Amino acid sequence: MALREIKHYKKDACLRKKSKVVEKFDDKLKLIIEDMIDTMYQADGVGLAAPQIGILRRIIVMDVGEGPVVLINPEFTRQTGEEEDSEGCLSVPGLRGMVKRPVDVEVKGKNSKGEEIMLNGKGLLARAFCHEIDHLDGVLFIDKVVPGTLEG
Ligand code: CO
């Protein structure tokens, strides 16, 4: 188990950069994924994107209480509904705010072996997908927060 330092929105410019597509599905990628999952659990988070540990690659991990989910090069194939709920971020410690997100999403991407996969997320998992995929484009939840709802 290897924990990585979680980058902070006020100190680390990497959180505002666009991540690159993963092309090599090798042992190095598997190690990054393992470290991301360990770091997410240690920090008691429900999701983590690679730029949050300073790696500008399109990798996300999540666990909303149903076991770890890993997705590489994720792309939305469907987003339906809209729901406002409270959100926070490990890179924005101490702050929470309301964000509108779709209630049901379908996302395609690759697993750690490079195989095409399609995943479905509802409710909290849909929210986690949206939040983590935003990280891959340098977007933070504070950019989308409903005005006047940011607290901390
Ligand atoms: Co976040």
Side-chain angles (χ1 to χ4, degrees):
M1 163 156 156
L3 297 175
R4 305 282 187 117
E5 184 204 343
I6 297 177
K7 302 297 177 185
H8 190 282
Y9 78 116
K10 280 193 178 159
K11 299 179 202 147
D12 300 296
C14 62
L15 289 169
R16 291 308 196 171
K17 302 227 165 92
K18 198 170 162 70
S19 291
K20 292 201 174 92
V21 167
V22 172
E23 277 160 3
K24 273 194 201 163
F25 293 82
D26 53 9
D27 287 344
K28 196 180 158 205
L29 175 69
K30 289 193 179 78
L31 262 179
I32 292 169
I33 292 167
E34 279 175 27
D35 287 358
M36 285 175 65
I37 291 173
D38 291 343
T39 303
M40 171 181 73
Y41 285 140
Q42 174 73 23
D44 219 4
V46 297
L48 195 74
Q52 290 183 274
I53 57 164
I55 295 172
L56 291 172
R57 296 284 164 189
R58 304 187 80 81
I59 309 162
I60 60 174
V61 301
M62 288 154 293
D63 189 338
V64 296
E66 299 160 358
V69 175
V70 175
L71 196 57
I72 297 153
N73 302 338
E75 283 175 52
F76 290 107
T77 48
R78 189 168 52 80
Q79 303 185 59
T80 50
E82 193 183 65
E83 192 172 54
E84 202 176 291
D85 205 348
S86 174
E87 232 171 87
C89 177
L90 294 175
S91 293
V92 188
L95 289 179
R96 291 196 73 82
M98 301 299 280
V99 183
K100 282 181 191 153
R101 300 285 191 187
V103 290
D104 192 343
V105 301
E106 192 179 76
V107 192
K108 69 168 186 178
K110 293 192 168 173
N111 64 15
S112 62
K113 296 178 202 156
E115 298 160 344
E116 284 279 351
I117 52 170
M118 185 83 106
L119 298 173
N120 222 287
K122 288 187 173 64
L124 182 56
L125 186 55
R127 180 166 295 273
F129 270 122
C130 296
H131 178 115
E132 301 314 330
I133 291 171
D134 270 354
H135 272 300
L136 305 180
D137 295 315
V139 175
L140 300 176
F141 87 94
I142 46 175
D143 305 337
K144 295 187 163 179
V145 79
V146 174
T149 66
L150 198 63
E151 293 181 336

